């Protein structure tokens, strides 16, 4: 299993930007598709974005398309989530996730490894 550690969360005003990072260790990073999930208070954890092992394919949930960008640097064993034009409804605990395939990052039940989460709070 790969170990994951997120960073970069914080408090930002609506319309602002944040970049989340997730550093991986323990196994070959490029063997894994990577993704980000989020969980808002009172809601289930849900997929936000994912990226294929070498970055050739990406997926975004409709609510973040055009605002969020997922990327990865396999040389640094790190995946990123650039979040622009943030809205109060983006407020959540954001989790980094690793899976065997991009399809395995659509549902939390198929995720192989999780980070501990980083809080993103967007004020109106």
């Amino acid at each position: 299993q790969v170990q994951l550690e997120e960073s970069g969360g914080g408090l930002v005003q609506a319309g602002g930007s944040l970049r989340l990072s997730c550093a991986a260790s323990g196994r070959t990073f490029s063997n894994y598709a990577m993704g980000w999930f989020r969980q808002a208070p009172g809601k289930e954890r849900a997929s936000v974005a994912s990226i294929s092992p070498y970055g050739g394919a990406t997926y975004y949930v409709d609510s973040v398309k055009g605002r969020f960008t997922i990327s990865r640097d396999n040389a640094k064993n790190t995946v990123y989530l650039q979040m622009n034009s943030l809205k109060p409804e983006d407020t959540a605990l954001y989790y980094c996730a690793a899976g065997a395939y991009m399809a395995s990052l659509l549902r939390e039940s198929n995720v192989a490894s999780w980070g501990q989460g980083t809080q993103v709070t967007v004020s109106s």
Side-chain angles (χ1 to χ4, degrees), residues 19 21-25 29-30 72-80:
R19 188 176 82 155
S21 299
C22 172
S25 62
F29 182 65
S30 58
R72 65 190 295 161
D73 186 338
N74 286 353
K76 295 182 178 180
N77 290 352
T78 302
V79 62
Y80 306 97

Side-chain angles (χ1 to χ4, degrees), residues 38-89:
R38 67 185 180 186
Q39 186 170 23
K43 295 188 176 181
E44 293 185 352
R45 187 159 51 180
S47 177
V48 174
S50 58
I51 188 166
S52 58
Y54 289 93
T58 56
Y59 159 83
Y60 299 95
V61 68
D62 285 347
S63 59
V64 307
K65 283 181 180 177
R67 301 189 298 122
F68 290 11
T69 303
I70 189 170
S71 61
R72 65 190 295 161
D73 186 338
N74 286 353
K76 295 182 178 180
N77 290 352
T78 302
V79 62
Y80 306 97
L81 186 67
Q82 178 67 45
M83 304 185 295
N84 298 328
S85 302
L86 282 161
K87 304 175 181 180
E89 51 264 42

Side-chain angles (χ1 to χ4, degrees), residues 3-23:
Q3 288 77 50
L4 306 173
E5 183 172 1
E6 304 96 335
S7 60
L11 173 64
V12 64
Q13 289 188 332
S17 299
L18 283 174
R19 188 176 82 155
L20 306 183
S21 299
C22 172

